[in-house]
């Protein structure tokens, strides 16, 4: 079945540092890929998405490129802020999956940014 | 728009009790779903619905029932709560014609003792 693997956390950075959170996936066909962010005490918010190979999703300074050859969708930001502290989830949607609309999530990566 | 709303925010149950988690959306989305979030496991799909009157099981449906009588509401019922159902529950919705973007509610934290 489909699966998503994220880098182990937690990740702790100083403000203005460069961020990379690795995400790799296993899926048949051509899934859509997403990054969701969960701020403390809140639900998940869609951060960015990519629907086909070589697409780059971007939002709020975050970027991720859909790499089919390496089955990866790594999240990057050039300069993190304290307000970026949250849990980040990589997820995929496979239209050919057994449960329509099902998002397959990674385990989440906790990011803490210090001033 | 309120988006996706969930009630209650917190709930404590004793083993064997029943309860219903409420979920509503005001975006006229056809698709709604329930996930549970457990530490280190991401989110897992419990049940989903592609429209009023239509529901189906996800990957972890045991112990949960759903119904969809209206487009707006998608309640999740625990018939006989067990400690293994201690989790955070999220409801999500999506327009079927979208690029699979799902909108999540704020969650319900359930503890079963």
């Amino acid at each position: 079945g489909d699966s998503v693997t994220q880098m182990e956390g937690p990740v702790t950075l100083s403000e203005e540092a460069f961020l990379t959170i690795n995400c790799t996936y296993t899926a048949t066909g051509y899934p859509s890929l997403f990054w969701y962010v969960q701020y403390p005490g809140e639900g998940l918010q869609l951060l960015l998405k990519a629907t086909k190979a070589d697409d780059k999703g971007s939002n709020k300074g975050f970027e991720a490129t859909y790499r089919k050859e390496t089955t990866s969708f790594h999240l990057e930001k050039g300069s993190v802020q304290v307000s970026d502290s949250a849990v980040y989830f990589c997820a995929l949607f496979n239209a050919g999956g057994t449960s329509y609309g099902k998002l397959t999530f990674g385990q989440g990566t906790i990011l803490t940014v210090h001033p | 728009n309120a988006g996706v709303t969930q009630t209650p925010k917190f709930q404590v149950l004793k083993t064997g009790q029943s309860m219903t988690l409420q979920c509503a959306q005001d975006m006229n989305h056809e698709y709604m779903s329930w996930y549970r979030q457990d530490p280190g496991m991401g989110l897992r799909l419990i049940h989903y619905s592609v429209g009023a009157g239509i529901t189906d099981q996800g990957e972890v449906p045991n112990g949960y029932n759903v119904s969809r009588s209206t487009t707006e509401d998608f309640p999740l019922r625990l018939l006989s709560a067990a400690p293994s159902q201690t989790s955070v529950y999220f409801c999500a919705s999506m327009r079927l014609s979208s690029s699979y973007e799902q909108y999540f509610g704020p969650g319900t934290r359930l503890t079963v003792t």
Side-chain angles (χ1 to χ4, degrees):
Chain A
D2 300 339
S3 66
V4 175
T5 302
Q6 290 180 233
M7 66 184 289
E8 294 288 331
V11 174
T12 302
L13 296 173
S14 297
E15 209 165 24
E16 299 184 3
F18 185 85
L19 168 70
T20 299
I21 300 178
N22 290 339
C23 170
T24 57
Y25 68 90
T26 302
T28 56
Y30 302 92
S32 295
L33 301 175
F34 304 87
W35 277 100
Y36 280 85
V37 58
Q38 184 180 29
Y39 297 105
E42 298 184 11
L44 280 73
Q45 301 175 25
L46 179 64
L47 181 60
L48 53 83
K49 67 178 181 184
T51 57
K52 61 183 187 298
D54 299 325
D55 266 1
K56 177 187 281 189
S58 61
N59 186 25
K60 299 181 181 180
F62 291 89
E63 293 183 340
T65 301
Y66 187 164
R67 301 284 188 203
K68 191 159 179 66
E69 64 276 13
T70 54
T71 61
S72 65
F73 193 54
H74 304 320
L75 182 68
E76 296 182 336
K77 187 175 186 184
S79 176
V80 293
Q81 306 300 312
V82 172
S83 57
D84 294 326
S85 297
V87 183
Y88 291 81
F89 291 94
C90 185
L92 72 81
F93 172 81
N94 193 342
T98 54
S99 297
Y100 184 82
K102 173 188 170 186
L103 286 168
T104 300
F105 285 88
Q107 67 269 42
T109 301
I110 299 172
L111 170 66
T112 303
V113 180
H114 293 298
Chain B
N1 285 354
V4 180
T5 58
Q6 292 182 237
T7 56
K9 286 197 170 196
F10 302 94
Q11 183 70 49
V12 179
L13 290 178
K14 293 189 185 326
T15 298
Q17 287 184 318
S18 63
M19 80 158 296
T20 299
L21 308 186
Q22 301 291 344
C23 174
Q25 52 92 9
D26 61 359
M27 297 173 283
N28 204 30
H29 287 172
E30 303 94 337
Y31 180 92
M32 297 184 74
S33 59
W34 278 99
Y35 288 83
R36 58 178 289 172
Q37 182 183 26
D38 300 297
M41 298 185 70
L43 281 76
R44 293 179 293 167
L45 182 66
I46 305 171
H47 285 286
Y48 66 97
S49 167
V50 296
I54 306 169
T55 64
D56 209 342
Q57 297 181 351
E59 60 183 314
V60 289
N62 292 341
Y64 307 96
N65 276 357
V66 292
S67 60
R68 184 98 178 268
S69 56
T70 67
T71 299
E72 295 77 19
D73 300 298
F74 191 45
L76 179 72
R77 279 183 284 276
L78 284 71
L79 299 177
S80 179
S84 60
Q85 294 179 303
T86 294
S87 188
V88 182
Y89 291 85
F90 289 100
C91 180
S93 73
M94 173 177 74
R95 187 177 303 283
L96 287 179
S97 58
S98 73
S99 53
Y100 312 116
E101 292 182 29
Q102 297 198 30
Y103 296 82
F104 285 80
T108 294
R109 184 174 294 276
L110 175 67
T111 302
V112 183
T113 61

